[in-house]
Amino acid sequence: MAFISPYHLKRLFMDLAPLQRLSSDHPDAAAAGDPLAQRIAALAAELSRIGEEAGPASSVAADLTDILESLGFRLVRLYWQNAAGKAMPVLQVMAEPLSGLPMSVEGCAEISTALSAYLDVQDTVKVAYRLEVSSPGLDRPLTALIDFARWQGFEAKLESQFLIDGQKRFRGLLLGVNELGEVGLALDGREIWLDARQLDKARLLASDALFEAAKRGTLPPPVHFDLDAEEA
């Protein structure tokens, strides 16, 4: 299985918002005749945050991402929960500090204040709802390519939109991401590679290895890449 070079990793393992801007802000990446760069630019137009159902807030998801980044946070998931029996719908914002430090109560409050003010001004959501801000936790959802790169070597559960070898659900050790935007899993003595665009859900599992890493303070830090960095 071929893997992408460190230079192109910077372009492939970016979160959704910068990926979507790749071909427009940096047309030279796709126009320079580099097939791999062209493939990444094509992937950028197709990828979406895995498992995200933002409901009426979907139209401002990119703006919310930018607001969080300006505050020093990364949007992990935006989820509109409108379950039967609840008094009102809930807009769940899951975020984490870009620094890799644990999310604090103050951080959640800062996010809530900023996003509430923005959403009130935009008036995108026309029904009464409750804004809920939280951190991912250990058994976190994996929603972007950078998540699969960051948590390589830990156990995860992935669910495909389509049957693959007669099944949709897979559980194994993450092998990272290849140059095709496929997510690798080691399971039952074999490897399987799933197209990230066809994943319906993905979650890190609360395994002994994960708890031990958290206990030792050796959890992998967030993946950060500089789009403008030049190839060494």
Side-chain angles (χ1 to χ4, degrees):
M1 182 64 63
F3 285 86
I4 199 167
S5 69
Y7 171 71
H8 288 114
L9 276 170
K10 296 175 183 178
R11 285 167 165 75
L12 182 56
F13 296 146
M14 289 183 138
D15 204 357
L16 176 62
L19 266 174
Q20 288 178 323
R21 293 194 291 266
L22 179 60
S23 59
S24 58
D25 289 357
H26 301 269
D28 56 307
D34 186 338
L36 192 50
Q38 293 173 348
R39 174 58 180 157
I40 293 169
L43 278 173
E46 300 172 13
L47 287 171
S48 59
R49 201 172 266 110
I50 298 166
E52 182 165 276
E53 296 180 16
S58 59
S59 61
V60 293
D63 289 343
L64 299 185
T65 298
D66 291 341
I67 292 171
L68 285 172
E69 289 181 355
S70 72
L71 296 174
F73 301 96
R74 173 192 165 228
L75 179 62
V76 176
R77 187 179 71 173
L78 191 63
Y79 193 81
W80 179 261
Q81 187 177 43
N82 194 14
K86 287 189 175 291
M88 64 175 62
V90 176
L91 178 59
Q92 298 177 335
V93 176
M94 187 176 290
E96 63 182 351
L98 291 171
S99 64
L101 295 174
M103 175 69 88
S104 64
V105 174
E106 292 77 14
C108 287
E110 182 181 13
I111 292 172
S112 181
T113 299
L115 296 191
S116 293
Y118 171 80
L119 290 168
D120 286 347
V121 170
Q122 292 297 313
D123 196 27
T124 301
V125 182
K126 302 297 184 182
V127 298
Y129 70 98
R130 180 166 57 89
L131 179 64
E132 179 180 285
V133 178
S134 65
S135 59
L138 286 180
D139 56 340
R140 56 182 294 143
L142 305 171
T143 61
L145 288 177
I146 56 172
D147 291 333
F148 298 101
R150 176 184 180 185
W151 298 102
Q152 182 175 344
F154 289 96
E155 193 173 6
K157 184 177 181 180
L158 278 56
E159 184 172 332
S160 174
Q161 299 172 17
F162 309 101
L163 284 174
I164 301 174
D165 296 333
Q167 64 183 101
K168 286 187 175 182
R169 297 179 179 87
F170 303 88
R171 176 174 177 164
L173 293 181
L174 285 173
L175 298 174
V177 181
N178 65 15
E179 82 283 2
L180 299 177
E182 295 173 333
V183 176
L185 274 182
L187 66 163
D188 301 327
R190 63 190 177 100
E191 293 182 5
I192 185 169
W193 292 85
L194 307 173
D195 190 332
R197 295 165 299 178
Q198 297 178 0
L199 290 178
D200 189 43
K201 298 177 183 177
R203 178 173 291 276
L204 203 62
L205 295 178
S207 62
D208 291 341
L210 188 61
F211 282 122
E212 281 300 314
K215 186 177 179 180
R216 295 193 305 267
T218 57
L219 289 173
V223 177
H224 297 297
F225 295 113
D226 180 5
L227 182 61
D228 297 319
E230 295 183 359
E231 185 172 11

